[in-house]
């Protein structure tokens, strides 16, 4: 087993992942000069170049309860992406605008120019590949094809403008999969490099001498970024350049290293099991060791909330697996739960910025280190009232910070995720957002109470109990308990038939400015006590109130935000206690 330490740099870590894919016979990864692209249709040709058929090659996959059609991922000669409005046809595959001279952009003359460029590119290979039957048929097809015929092709309305490949009827594989065609493509790529005087030098990533990449291949799959791809390394202004170097020569990376890291990153971004959206950041995570595959699947469930709630048995099994993983991390026996706890593990958060990508966060560690951080986070969230098989994962917690998911500030989501994954302090903005939500809807549920508790423990080193602590020394906590008791008495006295309760009117102000609210609430409480139906209830509730008030020296005029958090936790604990079945002795104290 490779015991190398995790790579500290982003590009070396991605290249290490590329090599992991290369070594895996089940993982189809593109070699240098090729790429995996989404293909929607195939043009089937006769040997004489006439058209035999135009066939949809998309696949039907199950997503949730529905089946959906997705393009087929096929290894093709690398086109290197397109930028600007220049003509750049791809070899043996392309969208229908280039390959058939028609698309959906409503500009036939432009499409005709694209088709001509596509035809010229393939003609330039004609002599070299004259003995390849499939490629010769493709050239004949391009010579005789009339773009106006495209509209009559089967299923054209759905497939127009999408990517197509070519195949010869009766032959296995596509035209571009012929060994002769692939070899010709690589020779052309190499000769283009020789003809075009490009810089060579030491690649900053591998330290090996290579042709340096002037532009790095585009990265696709980052939410909100340019749909044609964006760069993670680029220099587009003179102000960013130095020593007379231009563009990416300012950070010299070999073309092979650039190909490997972009191929690996594009692969991660296309993999639903390793990609998740948190705020405006698209987050991917991976290990460069195959032995960490079982740990990756656990992280997938944790990051992506990847639970199948439609299948209760599977949902329960997944939750138990994640909980077992975190429990093993807490008990320092992670080796019992996964194969390779010391495998390197990486988390990368990317956000869009015009045609470039921002690295929102880059976290490096081992599986063991990340597991410990997650276990600590989950332990600090531990709070009475949790629902079974409903773990509080990152996205679930963020939902409590805003009225609707679209209102979650992207920066808050990114900072909160970074705090969870790095073990640093939680963002103050998260605590403030939760307090505002509680004030706005006068509601504190289990996730909100759990976030407040975790924040007070991690950021303020306070001791916050999981369940009711009658002897808690903080007055803010006792004030929360007092408010819960006053509210419960009002509910019991009115049979819960009031349209507006003291919670609806005073919950926020009782937490922020207790001195302005509690004297009035205590006067009102005497009225509610008289309306309690049973004498036993009045006695028990009076005892409870006396016990709580006895721990409060005075009502503060104002409470800072962290003490308001304690207030809400005290309230939540007392409410949970009211509705928790108790022994006979406890009933005497709480009247429940």
């Amino acid at each position: 087993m490779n015991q190398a330490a995790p790579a500290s740099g982003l590009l070396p870590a991605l290249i290490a992942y590329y090599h992991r894919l290369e070594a895996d016979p089940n993982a189809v990864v593109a070699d240098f000069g090729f790429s995996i692209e989404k293909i929607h249709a195939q043009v089937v040709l006769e040997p004489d170049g006439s058209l035999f058929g135009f066939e949809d090659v998309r696949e039907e996959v199950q997503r949730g309860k529905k089946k959906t059609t997705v393009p087929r991922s096929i290894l093709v000669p690398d086109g290197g992406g397109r930028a600007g409005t220049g003509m750049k046809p791809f070899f043996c595959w392309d969208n229908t605008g280039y390959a058939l001279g028609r698309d959906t952009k409503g500009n036939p003359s432009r499409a005709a120019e694209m088709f001509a460029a596509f035809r010229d590119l393939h003609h330039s290979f004609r002599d070299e590949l004259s003995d390849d039957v499939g490629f010769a048929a493709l050239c004949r097809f391009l010579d005789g094809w009339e773009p106006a015929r495209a509209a009559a092709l089967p299923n054209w309305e759905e497939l127009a403008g999408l990517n197509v490949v070519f195949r010869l009827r009766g032959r296995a594989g596509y035209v571009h999969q012929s060994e002769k065609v692939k070899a010709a493509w690589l020779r052309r790529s190499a000769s283009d490099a020789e003809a075009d005087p490009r810089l060579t030098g030491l690649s900053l990533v591998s330290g090996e001498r290579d042709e340096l990449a002037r532009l790095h291949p585009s990265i696709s799959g980052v939410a909100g970024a340019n749909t044609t791809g964006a760069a993670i390394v680029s220099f587009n202004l003179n102000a960013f350049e130095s020593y007379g170097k231009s563009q990416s020569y300012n950070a010299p990376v070999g073309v092979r290293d650039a190909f490997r890291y972009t191929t690996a990153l594009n692969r991660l971004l296309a993999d639903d099991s390793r990609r998740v959206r948190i705020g405006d950041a698209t987050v991917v995570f991976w290990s460069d060791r195959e032995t960490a595959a079982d740990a990756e699947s656990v992280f997938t469930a944790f990051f992506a909330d990847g639970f199948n709630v439609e299948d209760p048995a599977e949902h329960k099994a997944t939750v138990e697996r994640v909980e077992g993983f975190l429990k093993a991390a807490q008990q320092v026996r992670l080796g019992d739960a996964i194969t390779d706890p010391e495998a390197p593990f990486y988390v990368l958060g990317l956000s869009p910025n015009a045609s470039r990508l921002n690295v929102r966060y880059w976290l490096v560690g081992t599986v063991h280190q990340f597991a410990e951080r997650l276990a600590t986070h989950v332990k600090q969230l531990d709070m009475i009232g949790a629902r079974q098989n409903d773990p509080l994962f990152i996205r679930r917690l963020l939902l409590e910070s805003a009225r609707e998911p679209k209102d979650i500030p992207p920066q808050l989501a990114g900072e909160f995720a970074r705090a969870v994954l790095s073990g640093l302090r939680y963002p103050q903005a998260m605590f403030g957002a939760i307090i505002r939500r509680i004030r706005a809807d006068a509601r504190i549920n289990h996730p909100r109470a759990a976030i407040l508790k975790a924040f007070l423990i991690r950021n303020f080193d306070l001791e916050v109990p999981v369940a009711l602590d009658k002897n808690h020394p903080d007055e803010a906590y006792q004030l929360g308990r007092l408010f819960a008791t006053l509210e419960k008495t009002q509910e019991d006295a009115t049979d819960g038939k009031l349209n507006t309760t003291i919670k609806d009117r005073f919950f926020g102000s009782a937490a922020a400015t207790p001195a302005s609210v509690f004297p009035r609430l205590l006067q009102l409480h005497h009225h509610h006590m008289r309306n309690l139906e049973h004498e036993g209830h009045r006695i028990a509730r009076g005892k409870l109130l006396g016990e709580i008030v006895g721990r409060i020296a005075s009502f503060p005029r104002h409470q800072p935000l962290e003490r308001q958090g304690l207030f809400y936790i005290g309230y939540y604990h007392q409410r949970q206690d009211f509705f928790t079945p108790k022994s006979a002795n406890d009933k005497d104290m709480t009247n429940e």
Side-chain angles (χ1 to χ4, degrees), residues 124-290:
S124 69
F125 282 86
R126 182 171 242 167
D127 294 340
E128 189 177 0
L129 291 171
S130 59
D131 59 343
D132 187 278
V133 179
F135 189 81
L138 171 58
C139 289
R140 293 188 195 103
F141 168 77
L142 296 176
D143 288 337
W145 174 250
E146 296 175 5
R149 294 174 54 195
L153 294 174
N155 211 15
W156 176 250
E157 289 186 358
E158 277 193 36
L159 299 172
L162 303 178
N163 291 332
V164 302
V165 289
F166 296 88
R167 94 178 305 154
L168 191 64
R169 186 170 72 88
R171 291 287 186 95
Y174 300 106
V175 170
H176 69 266
Q177 291 176 330
S178 157
E179 291 301 324
K180 291 179 181 176
V181 173
K182 289 196 289 186
W185 169 247
L186 290 176
R187 284 196 298 273
R188 176 66 63 89
S189 299
S191 63
D192 286 348
E194 292 172 1
D196 184 6
R198 301 174 187 177
L199 281 181
T200 59
L202 294 179
S203 172
L204 287 181
V205 179
S206 64
E208 297 175 356
R209 181 165 289 279
D210 194 0
E211 176 193 336
L212 299 180
R214 183 177 64 85
L215 297 175
H216 292 203
S218 298
I219 305 297
S220 301
V222 175
N226 194 325
T227 53
T228 60
I232 202 171
V233 177
S234 71
F235 299 78
N236 68 329
L237 291 175
N238 293 340
F240 307 149
E241 300 175 352
S242 58
Y243 295 101
K245 297 181 178 178
S246 63
Q247 297 185 306
S248 294
Y249 293 142
N250 286 277
V253 175
V255 291
R256 285 165 180 75
D257 286 337
F259 168 79
R260 289 170 184 141
Y261 93 75
T262 53
T263 299
L265 185 51
N266 279 322
R267 182 66 168 263
L268 288 167
L269 287 166
D271 186 347
D272 290 339
S273 68
R274 288 186 172 82
R275 182 200 64 211
V276 62
R277 178 94 181 266
I278 300 177
D280 72 335
T282 300
V283 181
V284 292
F285 47 90
W286 73 95
S287 173
D288 52 28
R289 290 189 198 167
E290 182 63 31

Side-chain angles (χ1 to χ4, degrees), residues 37 55 107 124 141 143 193 250 268 295 347 349 387 442 444 497:
E37 303 292 343
E55 300 173 355
N107 191 345
S124 69
F141 168 77
D143 288 337
N250 286 277
L268 288 167
V347 179
R387 292 191 301 180
I444 178 165
K497 295 179 179 176

Side-chain angles (χ1 to χ4, degrees), residues 41 43 54 94-104 111 114-115 145 150 153 156 159-164:
V43 180
F54 183 69
D94 214 318
N95 61 55
T96 60
Y98 277 97
L100 299 175
R102 281 290 186 275
D103 54 23
T104 58
M114 293 159 63
F115 177 69
W145 174 250
L153 294 174
W156 176 250
L159 299 172
L162 303 178
N163 291 332
V164 302

